Amino acid sequence: TSNVNYSVGCTGGTVYIYDCDGTELAKFKDIPSVYSSVFSPDGNLFVARSTRAYFGVYSLNPLNLKHKVRFSNVDGSQDDGYTFSKDNAYFYNIERQQSSTNHAISVYDTSTFHRVAMFLEHDNQTEPCYIESNKDGQLFVLGFLRGKNGVISNGFVSKFDHNGLKDLCD
């Protein structure tokens, strides 16, 4: 993952930080099984996410771990989407909560990285997989719906805000 000033590389057990010239600035081994990351819109933070239900929040100035968050007791299979709000106030994380087929969308306040809201945690039919924003900051969730027998019935795209999914189209 890259922004104007930095690149982050994740190799499972190590997170590497490089400057824009490719010089290694730091490496961290704080979180197991981390393979992806995302920069905050203001470029001051990045989150490295583990497939084992952790994410680490790192400061870029100074280069250090600010928060290590265990977001679920479901270990493994945590490879769904996550992103920051355009205004940098919130971090959104799709999390498997009760089983590998039960997803929730958690909202974290970026000043503390405490969870301030959770959506879909008891819904066994709606499975969000990706969360992204457009250039205006509108969040969209992509996923699929399960029928009553647990079989996937349809994919969906939906807008998302602090009231949950809206305008769901399948």
Side-chain angles (χ1 to χ4, degrees), residues 40-41 83-92 110 133 137 139 162:
S40 62
T83 193
F84 283 91
S85 61
K86 184 178 179 178
D87 66 2
N88 218 62
Y90 298 101
F91 178 72
Y92 303 94
T110 58
S133 63
L139 292 165
H162 285 271

Side-chain angles (χ1 to χ4, degrees), residues 49-50 53-55 71-72 77-83 91-97 102-108 115 118-120 126-132 140-143 156 160 165:
R49 177 135 177 264
S50 169
Y54 291 94
F55 64 80
F71 58 82
S72 172
S77 298
Q78 298 283 358
D79 54 1
D80 300 295
Y82 54 97
T83 193
F91 178 72
Y92 303 94
N93 193 34
I94 297 176
E95 308 167 351
R96 298 174 195 221
Q97 287 296 317
N102 177 253
H103 294 63
I105 302 173
S106 289
V107 181
Y108 295 86
R115 184 183 291 143
M118 183 183 275
F119 299 90
L120 303 173
T126 307
E127 298 284 341
C129 297
Y130 302 99
I131 186 165
E132 301 176 355
F140 292 90
V141 174
L142 293 80
F156 74 86
F160 180 79
L165 298 175

Side-chain angles (χ1 to χ4, degrees), residues 22 55 72 76 81 92 143 148 152 157 161:
F55 64 80
S72 172
Y92 303 94
K148 292 186 193 234
I152 296 171
V157 63
D161 63 21

